[in-house]
Amino acid sequence: MPRENGGGFVRCACGHRHWGLHGAAGLLLTDPARGVLLQRRAWWTHHGRTWALPGGAVHEGESAWQAATREAEEEAAVRRGALRPTAESIVDHGTWRYTTVLATARLTIEERATSIESAELRWVDPDEVADYKLHRDFATAWPDLRAQLDRELVVVVDGANVVGSRPDGWWRDRAGAAARLRDRLAGLAGAGVPDGALGLIDRPHWSWWPRVVLVVEGQARGTAAVDGVEVVSAARDGDSAIVATARAARADRPGDHVVVVTADRELRTRVEAEGATVRGPATLLNLLAP
């Protein structure tokens, strides 16, 4: 690979030799019906004949998500449009970093080895991954990755409470204020949330692409959903709709991280009883682009 595309070895600050002048990224893809997709590396590659993830060097100007999905398509014919990214984990060696992008299949994946770097592709039950001859670095990272496998961050936003937390004239146009909040939330859904910003698992090297649910009420009930943001219009009071949304999220996928954004003390008690974590409006608003 030409060096301008990121190909080349780097000796990191820890003294190890790694591939990728701008770092590297891999895709940890989960299909609930089949397991996780592993790649056995060709014998001639770095750490050949070991099992790891489709991935490779990050090109200059690429994000980790772009690099991981490009490599997965080049090596395993996995289409980006068939995936939903959920999280990423970074191992930082100072002068070099590796990013694991976690994603769930949302369409049927018809993988096949399409690169000479791939000797074999295989769906593996997560409980059996550690039994394989794994790439050294993947073996080290696997326990931490396994703990967050197929878990999502669900952010349930108390629209009225968040909009009302700042005196910016929202009361003159409640529906417009809700729509503006929705659009800012869509940006957050696309950009992701650093774990440290929400304090989910106390690992600063994690970040999440959240599933965002905005709950609206009253004059804002006509707010439409957009890409990245689901909208729930409360039939009666917003608090009951928020509790029901948090309850449903926990029931459907008990392992997910469910965060409710509100400053309402009584609502906080109710959603914490459902197993959700609560953060105040300021925490969310500080993450949103203006």
Side-chain angles (χ1 to χ4, degrees):
M1 181 183 295
R3 291 179 67 85
E4 60 268 22
N5 282 340
F9 283 101
V10 172
R11 189 166 295 280
C12 72
C14 302
H16 296 130
R17 190 165 172 257
H18 302 282
W19 179 255
L21 301 179
H22 311 296
L27 181 70
L28 178 52
L29 176 60
T30 305
D31 184 325
R34 295 189 285 178
V36 298
L37 183 63
L38 296 187
Q39 174 199 63
R40 186 164 64 87
R41 303 165 66 86
W43 65 269
W44 54 270
T45 62
H46 196 217
H47 296 282
R49 296 193 176 97
T50 62
W51 291 86
L53 305 176
V58 175
H59 291 186
E60 186 173 5
E62 273 190 322
S63 68
W65 161 248
Q66 291 169 331
T69 51
R70 173 184 51 74
E71 290 282 347
E73 185 161 10
E74 292 174 0
E75 298 177 355
V78 173
R79 295 177 294 111
R80 183 181 300 181
L83 314 177
R84 160 155 167 66
T86 56
E88 67 177 23
S89 174
I90 297 173
V91 176
D92 196 336
H93 290 230
T95 54
W96 184 88
R97 61 170 49 188
Y98 185 90
T99 304
T100 303
V101 176
L102 287 76
T104 301
R106 63 185 187 90
L107 299 173
T108 301
I109 303 291
E110 297 179 357
E111 76 292 338
R112 64 183 187 280
T114 53
S115 167
I116 59 174
E117 298 176 24
S118 296
E120 183 183 353
L121 296 166
R122 186 180 299 179
W123 292 96
V124 179
D125 186 307
D127 292 334
E128 298 175 2
V129 168
D131 298 332
Y132 281 64
K133 181 183 178 182
L134 302 179
H135 182 288
R136 176 196 64 202
D137 296 335
F138 180 51
T140 300
W142 174 245
D144 197 26
L145 296 170
R146 175 70 178 91
Q148 302 303 323
L149 198 65
D150 199 33
R151 301 178 74 177
E152 294 191 45
L153 167 60
V154 182
V155 179
V156 181
V157 180
D158 181 349
N161 191 270
V162 172
V163 165
S165 66
R166 292 187 175 177
D168 57 2
W170 55 266
W171 53 87
R172 291 190 291 269
D173 182 8
R174 296 170 189 259
R180 290 191 293 274
L181 175 60
R182 174 205 61 196
D183 293 344
R184 295 175 70 192
L185 290 170
L188 182 69
V193 179
D195 179 75
L198 295 176
L200 294 175
I201 58 174
D202 195 27
R203 290 180 173 88
H205 58 278
W206 280 83
S207 60
W208 308 82
W209 284 280
R211 173 189 160 208
V212 180
V213 184
L214 173 62
V215 180
V216 295
E217 59 182 308
Q219 296 176 16
R221 279 192 299 179
T223 305
V226 296
D227 287 345
V229 181
E230 304 169 37
V231 177
V232 173
S233 294
R236 298 190 302 277
D237 66 292
D239 287 7
S240 295
I242 291 165
V243 172
T245 300
R247 180 185 301 126
R250 294 286 297 164
D252 292 345
R253 294 170 52 89
D256 283 354
H257 304 284
V258 179
V259 176
V260 174
V261 181
T262 187
D264 187 295
R265 291 185 179 181
E266 181 181 352
L267 178 57
R268 178 188 186 110
T269 300
R270 293 174 65 186
V271 295
E272 285 180 337
E274 300 293 340
T277 300
V278 178
R279 295 291 181 263
T283 299
L284 175 66
L285 291 171
N286 287 340
L287 292 173
L288 300 181

